[in-house]
């Protein structure tokens, strides 16, 4: 009967306290506090008894009081566009490594490319008193962050610039990378080159389109409206755009894909074509080396590391004007971008 009653008691939500540790170890509360916080003044035998009680009870220090005393939580927030996007894996890992080196915890979440969700997530992290934020913005108006920045929340934007606020920003050279990728196709004889990119409200999409137009203009090539398509990266939309460009009496002979998700769908479409079509993609993709896909590669890990280092410099008191860092991209020829026009 007693056994049944014991199993019916609540098992969750009743965390052991320092009082529980003190009672089990047979010491005072202040002694437990000294052991937990690594303070001097405790004999080795007493410390051993306290540590045994901590281990037996599964006690964990509550850092809330320390946060109130120090004003710092030793945590930072990372707001990504999509946790499933391969580009953000190495970026997130690099941020985490820098945070770990500074003794900080990383909390991340996804905005799903929704400006309202981005704002909700950012403010939720601020409400949990993170010391700083690294944000890949979904929206283009970040004035909602001004009170938090004034209150001391260090903030760095990465991959895309902030909208209507001044903050540290770390970008890849989307314009220069796209320009180089399209110039590469032009150098291999292509003039009818299609561009399929992300939604036009996204900074990286418009910068890559600008690079495409610059390369085409430098080559003296007029761009037909049918050669350009911006929109969702959903596979059905990208497939339809690629198939339109490849149809008709004067189809494109090459495609520049504006990001990794676009590239994956275009690779599938081109695999169904009877004639060879050249392809250069912006962002590397998994197995691109085995598939022979030429890409404009950006260093996601370097972007994350640079953003995190800027963030911790701000947390350490750096007071210089907001910095804008643009990281270079790299063209990686693997075969698909070197095909001549058929």
């Amino acid at each position: 009967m007693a056994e049944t009653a014991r199993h019916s008691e609540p098992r969750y939500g009743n965390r052991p306290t320092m009082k529980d540790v003190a009672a089990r170890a047979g010491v005072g509360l202040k002694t437990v506090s000294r052991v937990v916080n690594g303070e001097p003044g405790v004999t080795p035998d007493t410390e051993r008894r306290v540590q045994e009680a901590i281990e037996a009870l599964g006690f964990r220090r509550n850092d809330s009081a320390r946060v109130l005393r120090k004003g710092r939580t030793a945590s930072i927030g990372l707001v990504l566009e999509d946790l499933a996007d391969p580009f953000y894996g190495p970026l997130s890992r690099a941020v985490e490594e820098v945070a770990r080196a500074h003794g900080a915890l990383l909390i991340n979440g996804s905005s799903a490319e929704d400006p309202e969700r981005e704002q909700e997530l950012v403010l939720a992290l601020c409400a949990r008193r993170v010391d700083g934020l690294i944000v890949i913005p979904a929206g283009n108006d970040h004035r909602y962050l001004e009170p938090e920045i004034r209150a001391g929340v260090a903030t760095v934007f990465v991959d895309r610039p902030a909208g209507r606020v001044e903050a540290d920003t770390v970008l890849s050279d989307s314009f220069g990378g796209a320009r180089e990728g399209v110039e590469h196709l032009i150098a291999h004889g292509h003039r009818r080159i299609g561009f399929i990119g992300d939604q036009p409200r996204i900074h990286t999409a418009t910068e890559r389109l600008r690079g495409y137009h610059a390369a085409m203009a430098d080559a003296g090539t007029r761009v037909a409206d049918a050669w350009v398509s911006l929109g969702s990266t959903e596979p059905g939309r990208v497939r339809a755009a690629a198939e339109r460009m490849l149809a008709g009496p004067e189809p494109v002979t090459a495609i520049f894909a504006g990001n990794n998700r676009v590239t994956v769908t275009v690779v599938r479409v081109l695999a169904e074509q009877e004639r060879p079509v050249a392809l250069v993609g912006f962002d590397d993709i998994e197995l691109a080396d085995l598939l022979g896909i030429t890409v404009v590669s950006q260093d996601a890990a370097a972007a994350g590391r640079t953003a995190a280092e800027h963030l911790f410099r701000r947390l350490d008191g750096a007071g210089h004007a907001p910095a804008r860092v643009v990281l270079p991209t790299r063209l990686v020829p693997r075969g698909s971008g070197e095909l001549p026009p058929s």
Side-chain angles (χ1 to χ4, degrees):
M1 213 40 201
E3 187 71 21
T4 305
R6 215 171 19 246
H7 282 302
S8 65
E9 292 174 0
R11 296 176 58 200
Y12 305 107
N14 297 319
R15 293 179 180 274
T17 65
M18 282 203 290
K19 265 188 179 178
D20 299 323
V21 174
R24 186 178 182 98
V27 299
L29 194 59
K30 181 61 179 173
T31 300
V32 176
S33 177
R34 285 191 178 119
V35 172
V36 167
N37 292 299
E39 297 172 0
V42 182
T43 66
D45 182 61
T46 301
E47 182 176 357
R48 177 186 55 76
R49 296 206 323 269
V50 171
Q51 292 290 5
E52 287 175 353
I54 287 172
E55 186 174 340
L57 293 171
F59 170 80
R60 293 291 179 272
R61 181 176 64 186
N62 183 349
D63 283 344
S64 299
R66 296 174 72 248
V67 169
L68 290 174
R69 286 199 309 272
K70 296 186 175 183
R72 294 276 288 269
T73 62
S75 64
I76 63 170
L78 171 62
V79 178
L80 303 166
E81 176 211 341
D82 182 358
L83 291 169
D85 189 323
F87 173 76
Y88 295 120
L91 186 151
S92 177
R93 177 65 181 271
V95 171
E96 186 175 23
E97 288 300 317
V98 175
R100 187 168 178 267
H102 285 81
L105 176 71
L106 177 67
I107 307 169
N108 60 27
S110 171
S111 69
E113 203 64 80
D114 180 345
E116 289 185 9
R117 184 166 168 177
E118 173 211 296
Q119 180 173 341
E120 179 184 314
L121 180 56
V122 165
L123 294 180
L125 289 167
C126 290
R128 283 159 179 75
R129 303 292 297 274
V130 295
D131 299 323
L133 290 164
I134 295 176
V135 181
I136 289 90
N140 54 18
D141 187 347
H142 294 91
R143 287 176 296 176
Y144 70 84
L145 258 173
E146 285 180 335
E148 308 297 336
I149 294 173
R150 284 198 300 270
V153 179
T155 306
V156 178
F157 290 83
V158 63
D159 192 44
R160 308 166 187 173
R164 307 180 74 175
V165 296
E166 292 293 320
D168 291 325
T169 305
V170 178
L171 308 172
S172 292
D173 186 6
S174 285
F175 169 79
R179 186 176 192 165
E180 183 180 16
V182 176
E183 285 173 345
H184 186 71
L185 291 168
I186 292 169
H188 284 81
H190 296 277
R191 292 299 179 270
R192 298 199 305 274
I193 303 170
F195 178 95
I196 305 177
D198 210 330
Q199 301 180 63
R201 64 179 176 80
I202 297 173
H203 170 80
T204 49
T206 57
E207 282 296 285
R208 291 167 196 175
L209 177 61
R210 195 166 69 86
Y212 163 83
H213 277 297
M216 297 293 271
D218 287 346
T221 301
R222 184 186 65 83
V223 175
D225 291 342
W227 297 353
V228 175
S229 178
L230 295 180
S232 162
T233 57
E234 190 274 322
R237 200 286 300 183
V238 175
R239 171 175 283 276
E243 288 175 346
R244 279 196 303 272
M245 292 179 188
L246 295 167
E250 289 192 324
V252 298
T253 62
I255 292 177
F256 184 86
N259 67 25
N260 53 5
R261 284 166 291 186
V262 173
T263 302
V264 168
T265 301
V266 172
V267 167
R268 292 194 171 106
V269 173
L270 296 187
E272 301 164 3
Q273 299 295 304
E274 293 182 0
R275 63 186 177 89
V277 177
L279 170 66
V280 174
F282 201 110
D283 289 337
D284 220 335
I285 61 171
E286 191 174 4
L287 302 181
D289 54 339
L290 296 178
L291 295 171
I293 308 301
T294 298
V295 299
V296 174
S297 176
Q298 52 181 335
D299 193 337
R305 184 170 55 253
T306 304
E309 288 169 350
H310 272 74
L311 185 75
F312 282 100
R313 279 200 287 273
R314 288 293 182 191
L315 290 173
D316 289 340
H320 55 76
R324 183 184 178 97
V325 178
V326 180
L327 301 175
T329 58
R330 181 170 62 96
L331 181 72
V332 184
R334 295 191 180 117
S336 71
E338 293 71 58
L339 296 172
S342 58

